[in-house]
Amino acid sequence: MALMVPPSNDKKRVKVYELKNNDWFDRGTGFCSGRIINEESKIYVESEDQPERLLLETKISKDDGYQKQQDTLIVWTESNGTDMALSFQEAEGCAAIWEFVSQVQQHLMTLGGPDDALSDDAMESFANPLVLPQPEIGNLEDIEHAMRGVASTPQGRDALAKFIISEDYIRKLIPLVEMAEDLESLKDLHYLCNIMKMLILLNDSQIIDHIVNESVVFGVIGALEYDPDFPNHKANHRRYLKDNSRYKEVLSIADPAITKKIHATWRLTYLKDVVLARILDDPTFGVLNSLIFFNQVDIISHLQNNPGYLEELFGIIDSPGADLKRKKDAVGFIQSCCAIAKSLQAPPRANLYTNFINHGLLRVITFAILNKEASIRVAGTDILVAMIDHDPSMVRAYIFKSIGEKKVPLTETLIELLLVEVDLGVKAQAADAIKVLLEPQQPPPAQAQEGMGRQNGEFLSKLRNNSAPNPQTESFIQHFYEHSANKLFQPLKDLEKRETLSDITFHEVQLFNHLVEIIIYLSRTHQFRSKYYIFTEGLASRIAQLLSAPQKHLKLTALKFFRQCVGLQDEFYNRQITQQNHFGPILNIVYETMPRDNLLNSACLELFEFVKRENLKPLIVHLVETYRNKLQEINYVDTFQTLILRYDQMQGFNPEADTTLFSNDGTTTPNRTPNMNGNQRWQGVKEMDAAEEAYFNTSDDEDETLPKSKKEGGRVHISNGVASSPLLKSLVDYPDDDEDVMDTRTPESSASPVTEPKLSPSPMLQTPPPERLSEKRRREEDNEDDELGKLSSSKRRNSGSSISSIGSATGNHTLKRKKGFISKNETRDPPTDDVKVKKISISLGGKDSASEQGSKGDDGG
């Protein structure tokens, strides 16, 4: 190790980069040095801000693949597989460290012993250096064959790369391209194309950097024009690269190295995206991206370190003597710088935008987006969007500053651009910029917001209120609603004067589409201000008017607004929708598109399905009460029929109660006949649980005969052929055998004359006594809900005062009971001791009926 001389101790300023997720991460700026400590050679980088902190400490080994790229870059791979890079401020510092690394590696190669990591094949390749045939037309086939064989192993690829660089082999191959073209030898041109492909795919940064030099690039690109995979076609890459009209120098750059890097970056980008796009592998793609990235870093650093250059550049826009073409080139140059800044790390990107804004970037944007030429407007919106993507709060702060200075804010310029722009791309970018600038904070995702609102609206409101807003942002948003919103949404408000939208133009459709999207965004992020503004300006009615437009995508956007309002589950929006009858146009769309399964029809159905699934009762009541006939006619899906059923259940009405004694539907109870207290008896009782529903779904022989016998009764109020009688009106509704909850008649009604018909045996009376039904009802008592018990108790107290007036009715020879049910005007006798068998007997006599009453009383306990 004594032969190795470490570099001088002069501080060499350098930036340390680490490759993470195919992106170079800046670890910081410091000073690099090479040291030999305890027979170990290492590279150290001390932080510029904190000298005691090491940004990098890496041991030099012989097999880490150190590469020197251009004049200021050293790239290598750590033993753990991490790609690292050093970007030196000066080429002399990079050369000194590279010389130190090369000496260390050569010394390690000479000391390689039995534990050397190199294989026997690699040692053999070093013992026998690689030699390729002379670059001549007649040797092209041999050269291709030799290179293909050597490049099959990693050691061979390294040896081939070193030979190509040391012998300057590529420069010797360049004249052969022109020679083969003069001879019109397509076969030789195909050989040259394959050779150039293999050289590029060696994944060596020095070779690629050498290829894009101006003296070599046209020969290499010329050979790549003759691809053997497409023998009948020839590309024109050279003509495109030689077109000097594509290079526009707004201001001359004093440093020729920066100019060279600008041209090299352009060629590398063209090589990556066009010439080699079909054959690139991942390693070569990474090398090309790394070279482009480091070139861009150097270019941006040079611009920021020359404030005089920036002042002259931005002064072109404000200069009255500059022509429009030069101003256009200046805007294009700034646009290119902002595009480059997207790939930089956050700190250098922030420095770039800060420098640009301090020199008048916002004036450039205003000039560009108000210019009459479309290309300048596109460039201006690109600059604005790039700056907003970086830091919208920074842009918002400068707009707020201009508002305080009584200047026209940038938002007004964007609104004017959105309203008058005919270019669809610029219009879309302006709309997106307005939405980002009006963003108060990072909102929760729409799905999560809808889910939280669905579960607990109070929790969502607390979540919004807990986030402390920025006072400057709040003032900015308040200024927007007071001064800018009316101008922005004026085209929507003008729709009130139009009777039809059949004559709507293409540009109006695009404008309305963006305006509705902005309203949707505001309703989601500005909870209170947006609700007040939408209500006072009547924007919901104007958006509903768009549902009648002939353009389907405009209908979808308008429908998206109402879906957003319903999804928020806000009483304000629900009241707006119901009061203005906004469901009417949506149902008209369903009528027009049914039963086709297109996007528009599906979106409408999803809206109503959401109302049904979330059981939004105010909307369900409004829908059924206002559009019941329409809903009944839409029967190709069950959504609307379910909405009607939900409404009937909420109103205490069951359409099946008119035809059946007991409903088999688990959501209804047999207490909705018109004879029971004006249909108010079981109001407020919740729906049955699973056990009750299973009980009523279990049918037996007695239950199955009830509906049939009822139908056979003819024009009578009670089944089994018995004429309608005041004494028998409680046969339909009897919830429990052992609880006296039946309504009783007053003495005046019981004293009325009763006509006794001639009775004939009925099929119902010939059935066995309903012992199983009685036991089922006794088991049901244990599962009765508390609320049902309270209601039953109250009914019992109400009916207790009239029991004494019913005893006189027991002597009448009329049918008092059918299948264990007691008439309203019957009373229960106390149980007697001689009743031993719990059996219900059915008779036409009053005496048997009384004894049966006693049996029931004992049975019911």
Side-chain angles (χ1 to χ4, degrees):
M1 301 294 289
L3 297 177
M4 290 184 299
V5 179
S8 61
N9 293 327
D10 296 339
K11 292 184 177 181
K12 302 168 182 61
R13 197 165 184 268
V14 68
K15 277 193 174 184
V16 182
Y17 291 94
E18 179 182 351
L19 186 63
K20 292 182 178 180
N21 298 325
N22 293 327
D23 192 11
W24 287 102
F25 175 73
D26 187 359
R27 296 178 60 173
T29 305
F31 298 98
C32 180
S33 61
R35 305 174 189 172
I36 302 173
I37 301 176
N38 297 329
E39 299 297 326
E40 289 185 349
S41 303
K42 294 184 178 181
I43 297 177
Y44 295 90
V45 178
E46 300 174 353
S47 176
E48 183 179 32
D49 300 330
Q50 303 174 1
E52 68 278 0
R53 184 169 67 93
L54 287 178
L55 297 177
L56 177 67
E57 179 183 357
T58 179
K59 180 182 177 181
I60 301 175
S61 60
K62 58 188 175 184
D63 53 353
D64 280 347
Y66 291 90
Q67 296 179 359
K68 182 182 178 184
Q69 299 180 1
Q70 304 172 12
D71 295 330
T72 58
L73 283 176
I74 297 177
V75 182
W76 74 97
T77 303
E78 292 283 348
S79 57
N80 58 1
T82 304
D83 292 331
M84 303 294 297
L86 294 177
S87 178
F88 291 85
Q89 184 178 8
E90 298 178 354
E92 291 79 5
C94 179
I97 297 298
W98 178 251
E99 182 65 23
F100 176 67
V101 172
S102 300
Q103 289 183 9
V104 172
Q105 286 191 315
Q106 290 177 4
H107 186 72
L108 292 176
M109 293 296 297
T110 59
L111 297 179
D115 57 344
D116 197 317
L118 294 178
S119 62
D120 295 338
D121 295 337
M123 294 301 296
E124 182 179 354
S125 64
F126 281 109
N128 300 318
L130 176 66
V131 177
L132 292 178
Q134 290 295 321
E136 299 176 356
I137 283 290
N139 296 334
L140 289 178
E141 184 177 1
D142 297 335
I143 294 173
E144 181 196 9
H145 181 73
M147 290 178 60
R148 197 177 297 277
V150 172
S152 59
T153 62
Q155 296 81 10
R157 293 165 63 92
D158 294 339
L160 180 60
K162 291 180 180 179
F163 175 81
I164 296 296
I165 295 172
S166 61
E167 297 293 331
D168 199 8
Y169 203 76
I170 297 177
R171 197 179 298 275
K172 297 177 182 179
L173 291 172
I174 298 303
L176 301 181
V177 177
E178 185 177 356
M179 189 181 301
E181 287 181 331
D182 293 339
L183 296 175
E184 297 183 356
S185 177
L186 187 60
K187 182 179 179 181
D188 293 333
L189 289 171
H190 288 169
Y191 285 142
L192 285 169
C193 181
N194 290 333
I195 291 171
M196 295 301 177
K197 285 182 182 179
M198 283 188 288
L199 291 177
I200 294 174
L201 295 179
L202 287 176
N203 192 24
D204 188 274
S205 59
Q206 288 182 276
I207 293 178
I208 297 177
D209 190 34
H210 176 66
I211 285 175
V212 294
N213 286 334
E214 189 170 359
S215 59
V216 180
V217 63
F218 295 107
V220 176
I221 296 297
L224 292 173
E225 291 179 351
Y226 298 92
D227 195 339
D229 295 336
F230 303 95
N232 298 325
H233 296 83
K234 176 185 175 297
N236 294 316
H237 301 312
R238 284 175 291 183
R239 186 177 66 180
Y240 183 83
L241 291 177
K242 288 180 180 179
D243 187 3
N244 293 327
S245 63
R246 302 182 183 278
Y247 297 99
K248 299 174 183 178
E249 191 174 25
V250 183
L251 295 173
S252 60
I253 299 176
D255 192 350
I258 297 299
T259 305
K260 180 180 178 182
K261 287 184 178 181
I262 292 175
H263 290 279
T265 303
W266 160 251
R267 293 164 186 157
L268 284 169
T269 304
Y270 185 79
L271 196 67
K272 174 177 68 74
D273 295 338
V274 180
V275 181
L276 303 176
R278 191 175 56 86
I279 64 172
L280 273 183
D281 54 6
D282 291 340
T284 309
F285 185 79
V287 171
L288 291 173
N289 280 334
S290 299
L291 292 172
I292 294 171
F293 172 77
F294 289 115
N295 283 343
Q296 291 174 345
V297 170
D298 294 338
I299 295 169
I300 296 299
S301 299
H302 175 78
L303 293 178
Q304 294 192 85
N305 295 330
N306 290 272
Y309 185 88
L310 293 180
E311 291 179 2
E312 189 177 356
L313 174 64
F314 286 93
I316 296 176
I317 305 298
D318 299 330
S319 175
D323 57 353
L324 181 61
K325 184 179 183 303
R326 195 178 184 203
K327 291 183 178 181
K328 177 181 177 182
D329 293 341
V331 174
F333 182 79
I334 297 173
Q335 177 191 9
S336 301
C337 293
C338 293
I340 292 174
K342 293 180 180 180
S343 61
L344 301 179
Q345 300 296 323
R349 184 168 65 246
N351 292 334
L352 176 67
Y353 282 121
T354 302
N355 289 333
F356 278 8
I357 290 176
N358 292 335
H359 285 86
L361 180 60
L362 293 180
R363 296 197 307 271
V364 175
I365 295 174
T366 304
F367 162 79
I369 61 181
L370 294 180
N371 199 276
K372 296 181 180 180
E373 190 169 344
S375 60
I376 299 179
R377 293 198 303 271
V378 171
T381 52
D382 282 343
I383 297 171
L384 177 61
V385 170
M387 190 167 54
I388 291 176
D389 289 341
H390 166 64
D391 188 4
S393 60
M394 179 178 63
V395 182
R396 200 180 294 120
Y398 282 95
I399 297 176
F400 190 75
K401 180 181 178 181
S402 63
I403 293 175
E405 297 175 354
K406 305 301 181 181
K407 297 180 181 179
V408 179
L410 183 61
T411 49
E412 294 289 335
T413 308
L414 284 173
I415 291 173
E416 185 176 352
L417 177 66
L418 176 63
L419 296 180
V420 303
E421 179 58 51
V422 296
D423 186 271
L424 299 182
V426 176
K427 190 184 290 289
Q429 285 183 321
D432 292 339
I434 292 173
K435 288 190 287 186
V436 175
L437 290 175
L438 293 175
E439 180 180 359
Q441 57 195 9
Q442 188 63 30
Q447 295 83 358
Q449 183 180 5
E450 182 177 294
M452 287 188 291
R454 184 185 309 157
Q455 296 174 5
N456 194 340
E458 296 181 359
F459 172 75
L460 182 59
S461 62
K462 291 179 181 179
L463 182 65
R464 297 193 191 103
N465 296 333
N466 288 338
S467 56
N470 187 353
Q472 187 182 82
T473 303
E474 290 298 312
S475 301
F476 173 76
I477 294 175
Q478 184 67 28
H479 180 274
F480 167 79
Y481 280 103
E482 292 177 354
H483 301 89
S484 304
N486 289 332
K487 179 179 179 181
L488 176 62
F489 299 115
Q490 188 61 42
L492 267 181
K493 292 187 286 186
D494 292 341
L495 287 175
E496 187 176 5
K497 305 174 184 178
R498 303 180 65 163
E499 297 180 357
T500 178
L501 296 181
S502 58
D503 57 343
I504 189 171
T505 64
F506 175 77
H507 294 291
E508 286 179 328
V509 170
Q510 301 303 320
L511 176 61
F512 291 146
N513 185 73
H514 290 301
L515 292 179
V516 175
E517 288 286 354
I518 293 175
I519 294 176
I520 293 172
Y521 178 79
L522 297 181
S523 66
R524 187 172 62 250
T525 55
H526 304 169
Q527 295 294 327
F528 303 105
R529 290 190 180 94
S530 62
K531 286 194 293 186
Y532 177 76
Y533 186 80
I534 291 173
F535 173 74
T536 56
E537 300 297 332
L539 295 182
S541 299
R542 305 286 74 78
I543 296 176
Q545 194 174 348
L546 296 177
L547 292 171
S548 61
Q551 290 79 9
K552 291 184 178 180
H553 64 281
L554 186 58
K555 291 181 180 180
L556 284 170
T557 306
L559 185 63
K560 182 180 177 182
F561 167 77
F562 292 106
R563 177 62 177 84
Q564 170 76 22
C565 295
V566 174
L568 290 175
Q569 300 192 22
D570 191 305
E571 293 183 3
F572 172 83
Y573 289 113
N574 292 343
R575 188 163 55 251
Q576 283 276 77
I577 293 175
T578 55
Q579 290 178 354
Q580 302 296 330
N581 293 328
H582 292 323
F583 280 126
I586 301 177
L587 284 174
N588 292 336
I589 294 177
V590 177
Y591 261 75
E592 294 171 2
T593 57
M594 69 178 189
R596 298 189 298 272
D597 295 330
N598 54 22
L599 180 60
L600 188 58
N601 183 268
S602 300
C604 296
L605 294 181
E606 195 276 335
L607 172 62
F608 293 108
E609 185 68 24
F610 179 82
V611 174
K612 183 196 78 173
R613 183 175 67 250
E614 301 304 321
N615 197 23
L616 304 180
K617 294 182 180 180
L619 299 183
I620 293 177
V621 171
H622 168 73
L623 276 170
V624 179
E625 289 182 350
T626 310
Y627 309 103
R628 188 183 187 108
N629 294 333
K630 279 189 175 182
L631 299 183
Q632 290 176 343
E633 295 177 4
I634 307 175
N635 53 13
Y636 71 103
V637 291
D638 59 354
T639 302
F640 302 96
Q641 307 306 320
T642 307
L643 289 175
I644 296 175
L645 181 60
R646 290 274 179 89
Y647 171 80
D648 292 340
Q649 292 173 356
M650 287 188 291
Q651 300 301 317
F653 171 73
N654 181 17
E656 296 183 359
D658 294 338
T659 57
T660 59
L661 182 61
F662 289 111
S663 174
N664 290 329
D665 189 358
T667 59
T668 58
T669 54
N671 59 352
R672 297 193 176 105
T673 59
N675 300 325
M676 298 301 298
N677 292 336
N679 198 25
Q680 299 295 325
R681 180 176 180 183
W682 297 108
Q683 293 293 326
V685 180
K686 67 178 183 179
E687 297 182 358
M688 293 186 295
D689 56 15
E692 294 173 329
E693 184 176 2
Y695 164 73
F696 283 105
N697 287 337
T698 304
S699 62
D700 48 22
D701 297 336
E702 296 83 5
D703 297 330
E704 293 174 356
T705 58
L706 289 176
K708 180 178 179 181
S709 60
K710 183 174 180 179
K711 295 178 182 179
E712 294 173 356
R715 294 175 55 87
V716 291
H717 190 73
I718 302 298
S719 61
N720 294 330
V722 182
S724 177
S725 173
L727 303 178
L728 301 176
K729 289 185 178 181
S730 63
L731 288 177
V732 175
D733 189 3
Y734 187 73
D736 199 351
D737 290 0
D738 56 10
E739 293 185 8
D740 191 8
V741 296
M742 309 295 292
D743 290 342
T744 57
R745 298 180 56 83
T746 60
E748 291 79 8
S749 62
S750 61
S752 60
V754 179
T755 303
E756 181 177 354
K758 295 182 179 180
L759 299 178
S760 60
S762 172
M764 291 293 298
L765 299 178
Q766 298 175 4
T767 57
E771 296 179 0
R772 289 183 294 166
L773 182 60
S774 176
E775 292 179 2
K776 286 183 180 180
R777 294 195 175 278
R778 188 170 61 255
R779 289 194 302 269
E780 182 188 3
E781 177 187 4
D782 298 332
N783 299 326
E784 195 69 40
D785 189 85
D786 292 341
E787 186 178 359
L788 184 61
K790 293 179 181 179
L791 291 173
S792 300
S793 300
S794 62
K795 291 294 183 178
R796 187 185 302 112
R797 287 194 299 269
N798 294 335
S799 60
S801 60
S802 59
I803 292 177
S804 58
S805 63
I806 307 175
S808 59
T810 58
N812 296 330
H813 294 280
T814 57
L815 179 61
K816 298 293 192 302
R817 182 176 296 97
K818 179 176 65 177
K819 295 184 59 127
F821 293 99
I822 305 175
S823 177
K824 283 184 178 180
N825 295 65
E826 281 191 286
T827 60
R828 297 190 180 198
D829 294 335
T832 58
D833 297 336
D834 55 345
V835 179
K836 303 297 182 180
V837 181
K838 297 180 179 180
K839 182 175 180 182
I840 302 175
S841 60
I842 302 175
S843 175
L844 300 179
K847 183 178 180 180
D848 292 339
S849 177
S851 62
E852 179 185 350
Q853 178 66 33
S855 176
K856 286 293 293 181
D858 183 71
D859 192 12

